[in-house]
Amino acid sequence: MKTSIRKYAEIARELKVNYPKLTEYEILTLAIQIERNEILENGLVVSSNDNEPSGIEAIAIALGYTRSQ
């Protein structure tokens, strides 16, 4: 299942509210890591719908790989 990808600024605002004791550096570091993980999660997810392949599936299709029987 694909998830929405939030911008790091949005994530940072959320972290500031939920974890006020974190430093600005810690907040930005975590926000960037979370955004990167969401991007990777969406790219590597295997779709159950053949009409909409995931990122990694689309790359494989473009390279000419087919499903082995």
Side-chain angles (χ1 to χ4, degrees):
M1 180 175 86
K2 291 189 177 187
T3 60
S4 63
I5 299 172
R6 299 173 289 164
K7 300 288 184 192
Y8 78 91
E10 175 187 340
I11 299 167
R13 280 192 298 274
E14 184 179 315
L15 288 171
K16 283 181 185 180
V17 170
N18 293 332
Y19 304 98
K21 292 185 179 182
L22 290 176
T23 66
E24 191 71 22
Y25 175 79
E26 291 170 323
I27 288 172
L28 289 174
T29 301
L30 285 172
I32 291 168
Q33 288 175 349
I34 291 168
E35 182 184 34
R36 182 178 59 221
N37 288 345
E38 289 176 354
I39 291 168
L40 287 171
E41 182 180 335
N42 280 332
L44 297 175
V45 70
V46 177
S47 73
S48 59
N49 183 350
D50 288 337
N51 295 330
E52 299 176 17
S54 68
I56 197 77
E57 290 173 320
I59 292 169
I61 291 166
L63 292 173
Y65 287 96
T66 58
R67 178 182 280 168
S68 60
Q69 301 292 335

